[in-house]
Amino acid sequence: MKTVIPSDVIGVGLVLNRNKELLIDKRLETSSMGGLWEFPGGKQEPNESIENTIERELREEIGIRVEVGKKLISFEYSYSSKKLNFIVHFCEWKSGQPKPLASQKLLWVSANRLDDYSFPPANTKIIAALYKYFDLKNKLI
């Protein structure tokens, strides 16, 4: 009999500043895949809409309030111990100053520089979708 791998839904928020740079955060060294960069977001709670998940996670992780907008991409990614369903939305930054409440560091990065940073494997799909969205040449694909 095949083992069923638990599946979590992960809401990811893509926040752009006035210069069209994306907000990324560096994972804590003590966390899974510590030291890698990621787009802010997290696990959906039971009976929570994905929009509410993204709003909550960005408030908890980086201290800002956002309005969740257009979906960029959704996909499934399997790690050896778990399967994750990512749902990625652009977000409009409404208030608060970004600060690393649940990470080591925050950076604003232009989309064409994302491949200069080390991300977890699943983020490759998000970066490829961003390159396509911004009509840039993606070095990762």
Side-chain angles (χ1 to χ4, degrees):
M1 179 158 67
K2 188 175 179 181
T3 304
V4 176
I5 299 174
S7 181
D8 290 323
V9 176
I10 307 297
V12 176
L14 301 172
V15 181
L16 293 161
N17 65 16
R18 289 185 187 138
N19 298 324
K20 301 291 185 206
E21 296 168 316
L22 291 148
L23 186 61
I24 61 173
D25 62 300
K26 192 171 191 179
R27 297 173 68 89
L28 295 171
E29 292 294 339
T30 55
S31 68
S32 170
M33 293 184 252
L36 297 179
W37 292 90
E38 66 180 356
F39 300 99
K43 190 168 117 176
Q44 184 179 39
E45 299 293 334
N47 302 315
E48 183 179 49
S49 72
I50 199 63
E51 292 82 4
N52 286 344
T53 298
I54 295 169
E55 289 171 2
R56 175 183 53 76
E57 287 288 342
L58 272 63
R59 190 174 57 253
E60 292 173 358
E61 288 186 4
I62 58 177
I64 64 172
R65 295 199 182 279
V66 298
E67 182 177 317
V68 178
K70 177 182 173 182
K71 181 167 79 169
L72 173 69
I73 187 175
S74 60
F75 63 94
E76 189 176 275
Y77 191 90
S78 293
Y79 288 99
S80 58
S81 61
K82 61 185 167 185
K83 182 172 29 172
L84 301 176
N85 294 303
F86 288 87
I87 303 174
V88 183
H89 283 260
F90 285 102
C91 295
E92 184 180 346
W93 178 13
K94 291 295 191 179
S95 66
Q97 250 340 87
K99 42 194 169 294
L101 301 174
S103 58
Q104 296 183 52
K105 186 177 184 179
L106 300 177
L107 279 180
W108 291 102
V109 178
S110 59
N112 63 350
R113 299 287 316 274
L114 288 170
D115 56 350
D116 292 345
Y117 298 87
S118 295
F119 285 85
N123 282 245
T124 303
K125 290 188 178 202
I126 300 171
I127 294 169
L130 282 165
Y131 271 81
K132 185 175 180 181
Y133 178 84
F134 287 112
D135 198 24
L136 300 167
K137 184 176 181 185
N138 188 344
K139 297 175 189 173
L140 295 173
I141 55 174

